[in-house]
């Protein structure tokens, strides 16, 4: 069925159907899955480790019952990562005593420094702007197109450029 234009819709409709079956049993988890699922990534956060572990295990149970496997669990808390591994959740990257200082991972294609909990977004396209030539509409569009920011972290800066282009 994949390769057909309606495939993403069918996937989300199927996931939504399975989430709804557990709405009363796991209210926090179903709310998180319903609102924080982006294509094939779930991106969410909670205030404490016990709540994070409970939601992770409940989400894993819900999706296993739908014959779907959640994997690549990641967190900036090493204790949570070790507990997740102990509980049988598939972590990414694999945390162990040898590589417990894993530096980065990607979230929606944006590099995330796991240890210090910050994102890195490249604005190389704007910095490489050749000011020796006249700035044209085409050059402005090329520069704006080089910035990958699906979450909108740079919106306060790029909105001026996009407004100028309109």
């Amino acid at each position: 069925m994949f390769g057909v234009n309606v495939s993403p819709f069918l996937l989300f409709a199927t996931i939504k159907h399975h989430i709804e079956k557990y709405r009363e049993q796991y209210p926090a988890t179903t709310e998180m899955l319903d609102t924080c699922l982006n294509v094939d990534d779930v991106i969410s956060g909670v205030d404490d480790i016990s709540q994070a572990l409970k939601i992770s295990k409940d989400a894993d149970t819900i999706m296993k019952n739908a014959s779907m496997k959640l994997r690549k669990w990641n967190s900036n808390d090493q204790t949570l990562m070790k507990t997740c591994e102990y509980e049988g959740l598939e972590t990414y990257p694999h945390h162990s005593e040898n590589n417990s200082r894993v530096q980065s991972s990607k979230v929606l294609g944006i590099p995330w420094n796991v240890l210090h909990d910050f994102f890195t977004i490249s604005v190389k396209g704007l910095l490489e702007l050749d000011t020796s030539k006249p700035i044209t509409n085409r050059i402005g569009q090329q520069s704006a197109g080089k910035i990958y920011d699906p979450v909108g972290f740079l919106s306060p800066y790029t909105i001026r450029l996009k407004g100028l282009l309109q």
Side-chain angles (χ1 to χ4, degrees), residues 4-160:
V4 179
N5 289 341
V6 297
S7 294
F9 170 77
L10 293 175
L11 173 65
F12 279 109
T14 303
I15 291 172
K16 186 103 169 153
H17 170 76
H18 288 288
I19 290 172
E20 290 302 320
K21 292 193 296 188
Y22 296 95
R23 182 80 55 191
E24 290 181 19
Q25 188 176 0
Y26 306 115
T29 306
T30 54
E31 180 65 24
M32 184 268 307
L33 286 172
D34 203 16
T35 58
C36 299
L37 191 65
N38 186 5
V39 185
D40 61 351
D41 291 334
V42 177
I43 303 159
S44 182
V46 293
D47 293 330
D48 61 39
I49 294 174
S50 61
Q51 187 180 8
L53 185 62
K54 181 181 180 343
I55 287 177
S56 299
K57 287 170 56 178
D58 292 347
D60 194 51
T61 301
I62 291 170
M63 297 309 279
K64 271 185 184 173
N65 290 341
S67 297
M68 298 179 194
K69 184 177 182 179
L70 292 178
R71 53 191 191 89
K72 294 185 178 181
W73 292 95
N74 204 348
S75 173
N76 61 343
D77 188 290
Q78 295 300 313
T79 306
L80 177 61
M81 291 304 295
K82 289 177 183 172
T83 307
C84 283
E85 278 189 346
Y86 178 76
E87 293 289 334
L89 297 173
E90 186 179 325
T91 59
Y92 177 81
H94 297 289
H95 292 252
S96 66
E97 296 304 317
N98 301 356
N99 66 347
S100 63
R101 304 213 35 95
V102 174
Q103 284 289 331
S104 68
S105 185
K106 283 198 174 188
V107 177
L108 295 176
I110 301 172
W112 171 40
N113 185 307
V114 178
L115 289 178
H116 302 290
D117 198 20
F118 65 83
F119 292 99
T120 306
I121 299 175
S122 175
V123 291
K124 194 186 243 184
L126 290 177
L127 297 175
E128 291 177 350
L129 192 61
D130 186 8
T131 55
S132 65
K133 298 177 184 174
I135 307 296
T136 63
N137 189 12
R138 180 179 181 174
I139 291 174
Q141 288 180 356
Q142 286 176 344
S143 296
K146 290 179 182 178
I147 299 171
Y148 179 71
D149 183 25
V151 181
F153 289 136
L154 297 178
S155 292
Y157 304 102
T158 59
I159 192 73
R160 290 184 180 184

